[in-house]
Each structure stands twice: as C-alpha cells, then as structure tokens.
Amino acid sequence: MRVASDAGDAETLLATVPAGQRVAVVDSRFVGHVHALRLGLTDPRFDAAALPGAVTVQAAARQALTRALAREGSAPAGGSAVAVDNLADRVTAALDADGVTPHRPELGTLVAVVPADPQARNQARQAVAAVDDEAVRLRTAVKSRDGFFTTHFISPYSRYLARWCARRGLTPNQVTTASLITALIAAGCAATGTRGGFVAAGALLILSFVLDCTDGQLARYSLQYSTLGAWLDATFDRAKEYAYYAGLALGAARGGDDVWALALGAMVLQTCRHVVDFSFNEANHDATANTSPTAALSDKLDSVGWTVWIRRMIVLPIGERWAMIAVLTAATTPRITFYALLIGCAFAATYTTAGRVLRSLTRKAQRTDRAARALTDLSDSGPLAHLLRRLARGKGFAPAYLAFVGAAIVLLGTAAAPYGSWWPVLGAVFYAWMSVAALIRPLKGALDWLIPPLFRAAEYGTVLVLAAKADVNGALPAAFGLVAAVAYHHYDTVYRIRGDAGAPPHWLVRAIGGHEGRTLLVTVLAALLAPTEFKVALTALAVAVAVLVLFESIRFWVTAHKTGAPAVHDEGEPA
C-alpha cells in the first residue's frame, strides 16, 4: 500500500509496480465493508472493476489505467496541483471513456461510499455497523438460483463448510477433486454388488454432492475463480455421475443382473438433455427481439412462489437426480434405480424440450452469426461431412427437419435389422448425407438449435443398439466406454464455446471422425465383424478416442489457466 499526494504521484507509484500485477486506486476517505472492497478489488474474472471510491485493473488493463492517470495528472485544477480527492472515481470515468468498462459488483446491503464531510462519514460508519458483512458473504456464496433439494437440504450447511475450507487455505480445485474421489469411491462401493456396498454408495454420493456444492460456494466466498477450476467443476460433474452408472452396472452384474443397456441408455438420455440445454442457450442468449407468449407465461408463473419450485424439481436437476439415485441405490436394486432414472429424465427431457420448441415457434428472434457458428461447432461434423459438402448443391431447407429425418432413418434401420446386416450401413450413409444437407445454410432458424441434440441421439443411439444386438458379454460395457469418451469431447466443446475459446482444433475433430464418420464406422464394423470381434473393435475405438480428446482437452485448459484466460462460471440452474 502506498499513499499518493496527487494524480502525478499516483502515476509515479504505478510505474514502480511490475506490469503483470493487479493494482488498485482507493480514495483515502473511503468508508465501507471489507467484503465490499473484496468484491470490488479482488475478483479475478474481470480486467477492471470499480465501486465508489475505488478502482482496480489487472495486467490486461494496466495501459488504460496509466493513460487515465497521465491525463488526470496533466489536467489543470484551479492553478494548483491536481488533488487526489475523488481520483479513483475520475479514473473510473476515464477508463469508461477509453473503452475499458469496469465491472461494478452488486453490493446489496453492503456499504461503499466516500463521505464528503464528517457528518456523512459518521452516518456511513453507522450504516457499516448495522450490516454484518460476514453474514452477507455467507449468503452470497450460495447460488442465487438453484434447485429445491440443493437450496433447502444442502446449502444451509455447505456454506459453513465452504467458510471452514477458506479459513484453512483450501482451494476450490482441491474441494472439486475431493468430490470426484468421493464419487469414484461411491461407484466402487456400488460395484461390490452387496447391500452394504449399495448403502455406502448412496451415502457417499450425497457426500460427493455436498462437496460439489461446497467448491462453488468456496469460490464465491473467497473469490477464487479460475479457468481451470471452471473446467474441472463442469467436467468432473459428468465424470462422477457416469462413473457411478458404471459402478451400479458392475454391482448388478455381480448379482447376476445385466443392466449395462440401462446404464448406457441413462447416460445417452442425460447427455442429450444437456446438449438440448447448451444448444438452446447458445442459439438464444444474444438473440434480438427474443420474446414470445410462452416466455411471458413462464415469467408470470415465476411470480407465483410455489410454481417456481415445482418447475425446478420436475426437470430433475442434479440435486434432485443425485438424491433420487442415492436413496434408490441404498433401498432397492440397480435395475429399479435405472428404471426410475430413465423415466424421470425422459419426462424432464420431454417437458423442457417441448417448452423450448414452443418458445422458438412463437418468438420472432433474430439470431446472430455467433449463435450460428456455435451451433455449427456443436454439431461436430468431421471429414466425411466436409467431403460430402463439396458435392452438395443448393441452399438447403428446413435444417432441423433434415437432421431429424437422418437421425430417424439410421436409428430405425439399426433397430429393425439383425446384427451383421448392411442395412444400418445404408442408414448411416443416408444420415451422413442428411447431416451435411442440414448444415448447408447458416443455422439461424427457429428450431435449428435441435440439430446438435439430434446428432448426439443418432450417434449414441446407434452405438447402443448395435452393442445390444451383438449379444455378447462385454459389448455393452465397451459401448459405454465409447459413448463416454465421445460425450466428453462434446462437453469439452461446449465449455470452450462458453469461454469464447471457440471449438476444439480441426485436427482433433478430423482425427476422431466427426459424428457422421464415427456412426458410419460403427455400423460397418458391426456388418463386417463377429460379435466378439465387434466388442474388441468398440473397446479399441473407445480407447483411441479417449486418449486423443483427453490429451488435447487437458493441454488446452492447463494452457488457458496459465495464460490467465477469464473463467466462466455457471450461475444458472444445475443440469
């Protein structure tokens, strides 16, 4: 901390601070809560931030701050030196004028003022004393919008666990890792196939979810946001849940019940649900004239308190879903658990997708080029699609309709034909052609956001049906591994787009074939190979895809973390 006598002195002191460090200018008369200063001056997600009497910048905005101080130092001030009074606020205004808009945190009941006289200072100090900033800090550590189970059964005590972790120097990434390890142990307990193992698995799954809530609350409590942390939190949630599905399937197998098809079906359904969420949000988050009667009705229902919770619960978000899985694991069998999960997720998917289709059809939104590009990236088209695109002619029509027809043909053809038939191969060729036709024109139509989830359903469903038809021990677990590896790639694509990093590199998409190439390859393998050989081929393909996507993903996110790329944390409803 250094005290500057005027703007010129502040500029001189700034020059002594290394260029890579964050700096702040704070009015010496500032009165307010410590947590207000913490929110305004320490959040790592923003290049510049400000509150009354204080402004801070990170390395990316240091030059703009230097220019602002230089202008303030050279400006006349009644013939005398430029006073330091109100310098922070003047610098904030100068940054705004320079195109660097500082983030201004929502303070709520917290106080942050620069009193003009002793009386105002006394009133400000009384206002500070009247509000417990630690209580505010704990309350705001919890998501403002969360599920019913999380809000009422987890957050009331997990926020205190987050504070306990903060006071002992633990980081959100460490808590995230602990949550993953706990979930993997839970999956291992479920894999034992014993009643005691199932009970322990259910309890550990709930504990894993408590830690999963704690890591985000710790990040908000201590403002420890990071690019790597955002990625770990998002990807580990999927890894935990799908590893638990595998553990349940292994445990059932030990008891003589084969539920691998149900486990794979649950993963396919849940992944497709997430892709619907991602695609719809990407298509509409920056659309203009983005209103509809359906959305207006939804907003009206939100004004009725009890309907909000009902609507949040019936979509079966992660809190309700994991609580249901944990209780059913401990009290029933893996088969019953998967039946309940499939029914609940199918209802939730129907409810949310139908509502979004209605919104899309009744609104007159103008979608942007960015949205169209994001949907194209989410489609995950590979080299076969690019080759066929050179042969395609015309401007195309009804992209979502073409994608639906292609997906339906390949799925119905695969389901109707016996194992070893070439009909699924013909269906996959038709699907590849339809997927190209669907992408000829920019994806700005009302229902074009349905294209990525339709592609996911077609690819994952084809793998599931062919593995089930092979009817050989180990085929479905191999298919589970392949879908898990491909799904990881698709989730990784989403998180990159959310962070404005663009899609994964073209070489990776080409190397793993794209959705149409993998679908065609799997159908050809099923037509050419005996069931036992098909199982080996699925396993080899799963390993190859997993190695490539994990290598590139880890390389990218670790590099992004080191370069200080901004973190994007999801504060909406959990998936």
Side-chain angles (χ1 to χ4, degrees):
M1 182 178 294
R2 301 290 186 271
V3 178
S5 58
D6 53 34
D9 190 20
E11 183 183 2
T12 302
L13 291 173
L14 174 65
T16 66
V17 180
Q21 292 187 9
R22 174 196 288 272
V23 295
V25 177
V26 182
D27 196 304
S28 60
R29 301 169 301 162
F30 176 88
V31 175
H33 287 98
V34 173
H35 191 51
L37 279 177
R38 187 181 291 114
L39 290 171
L41 303 182
T42 67
D43 195 322
R45 295 174 296 173
F46 308 102
D47 290 337
L51 62 159
V55 61
T56 181
V57 299
Q58 298 200 74
R62 279 287 298 273
Q63 290 186 354
L65 176 63
T66 300
R67 290 193 298 269
L69 285 174
R71 286 195 295 270
E72 291 298 324
S74 61
S80 60
V82 178
V84 77
D85 289 352
N86 301 319
L87 177 62
D89 292 338
R90 298 201 309 272
V91 166
T92 300
L95 289 174
D96 265 323
D98 202 16
V100 179
T101 303
H103 168 71
R104 292 171 172 83
E106 292 288 341
L107 297 180
T109 58
L110 296 175
V111 177
V113 296
V114 179
D117 52 56
Q119 180 180 355
R121 175 177 295 275
N122 184 55
Q123 291 174 347
R125 286 175 173 171
Q126 290 177 0
V128 168
V131 176
D132 183 353
D133 70 338
E134 178 61 19
V136 173
R137 190 181 182 189
L138 273 174
R139 186 177 67 252
T140 55
V142 178
K143 279 184 178 181
S144 58
R145 184 179 177 89
D146 224 327
F148 179 85
F149 179 77
T150 305
T151 299
H152 295 285
F153 294 93
I154 304 296
S155 294
Y157 57 88
S158 62
R159 69 184 74 182
Y160 295 101
L161 179 58
R163 181 172 66 180
W164 183 89
C165 292
R167 291 178 175 177
R168 282 152 184 81
L170 297 177
T171 67
N173 290 353
Q174 291 171 332
V175 178
T176 301
T177 303
S179 176
L180 173 66
I181 294 173
T182 304
L184 294 178
I185 295 174
C189 291
T192 62
T194 63
R195 178 51 51 194
F198 289 147
V199 172
L204 288 171
L205 186 64
I206 293 296
L207 176 58
S208 175
F209 182 64
V210 172
L211 293 174
D212 181 53
C213 295
T214 301
D215 64 1
Q217 292 165 359
L218 174 58
R220 286 182 287 273
Y221 180 86
S222 57
L223 298 176
Q224 296 184 71
Y225 300 107
S226 70
T227 303
L228 183 62
W231 171 67
L232 289 176
D233 183 53
T235 54
F236 280 9
D237 279 352
R238 307 286 80 82
K240 288 181 287 190
E241 185 166 359
Y242 298 156
Y244 192 83
Y245 291 176
L248 278 179
L250 288 170
R254 287 180 176 272
D257 189 12
D258 186 358
V259 297
W260 274 106
L262 298 178
L264 179 51
M267 181 167 66
V268 169
L269 180 56
Q270 188 58 35
T271 303
C272 289
R273 280 188 64 198
H274 287 147
V275 178
V276 167
D277 294 342
F278 299 146
S279 297
F280 181 81
N281 291 335
E282 287 300 325
N284 292 286
H285 86 283
D286 57 355
T288 57
N290 201 13
T291 59
S292 73
T294 308
L297 175 61
S298 177
D299 293 338
K300 188 174 181 179
L301 288 174
D302 281 344
S303 64
V304 183
W306 63 270
T307 66
V308 174
W309 294 118
I310 293 295
R311 293 167 64 215
R312 290 188 191 181
M313 291 173 67
I314 62 176
V315 299
L316 208 63
I318 187 170
E320 278 75 1
R321 191 168 68 250
W322 283 26
M324 181 186 74
I325 294 171
V327 171
L328 291 177
T329 299
T332 64
T333 66
R335 180 172 289 274
I336 293 175
T337 301
F338 280 122
Y339 280 152
L341 182 62
L342 286 167
I343 292 170
C345 286
F347 177 81
T350 302
Y351 171 79
T352 55
T353 305
R356 287 167 176 171
V357 168
L358 285 175
R359 289 190 183 195
S360 299
L361 292 175
T362 56
R363 66 172 36 136
K364 302 297 182 181
Q366 298 295 320
R367 293 173 175 84
T368 63
D369 291 336
R370 178 198 177 280
R373 184 170 58 254
L375 292 179
T376 301
D377 291 338
L378 287 173
S379 72
D380 189 36
S381 297
L384 178 60
H386 291 289
L387 176 63
L388 293 176
R389 188 173 298 170
R390 296 179 181 178
L391 306 176
R393 293 291 184 270
K395 297 182 178 180
F397 66 98
Y401 170 78
L402 295 174
F404 174 79
V405 171
I409 290 297
V410 69
L411 286 173
L412 291 175
T414 303
Y419 179 83
S421 170
W422 284 90
W423 284 109
V425 178
L426 294 178
V429 171
F430 180 79
Y431 165 70
W433 183 257
M434 287 295 99
S435 68
V436 171
L439 298 177
I440 289 178
R441 70 183 191 186
L443 300 181
K444 296 184 179 181
L447 296 178
D448 288 356
W449 57 270
L450 284 170
I451 291 175
L454 285 170
F455 287 169
R456 300 295 84 79
E459 179 183 0
Y460 301 162
T462 299
V463 175
L464 168 59
V465 173
L466 288 175
K469 284 181 173 291
D471 196 24
V472 62
N473 188 34
L476 281 167
F480 188 97
L482 175 59
V483 172
V486 175
Y488 177 88
H489 165 63
H490 291 145
Y491 282 118
D492 186 58
T493 301
V494 168
Y495 302 137
R496 293 189 192 216
I497 292 173
R498 280 185 169 182
D500 291 326
H506 292 303
W507 73 262
L508 177 64
V509 178
R510 290 195 296 267
I512 61 177
H515 69 96
E516 78 292 339
R518 289 187 299 269
T519 303
L520 180 59
L521 175 61
V522 171
T523 58
V524 170
L525 291 174
L528 291 175
L529 302 177
T532 53
E533 296 171 334
F534 180 62
K535 174 189 69 176
V536 174
L538 285 181
T539 303
L541 185 58
V543 171
V545 172
V547 168
L548 285 173
V549 300
L550 283 171
F551 170 79
E552 166 56 24
S553 177
I554 293 172
R555 182 207 64 78
F556 170 80
W557 289 105
V558 170
T559 302
H561 176 71
K562 290 180 178 179
T563 57
V568 178
H569 288 252
D570 182 15
E571 298 296 331
E573 291 186 73

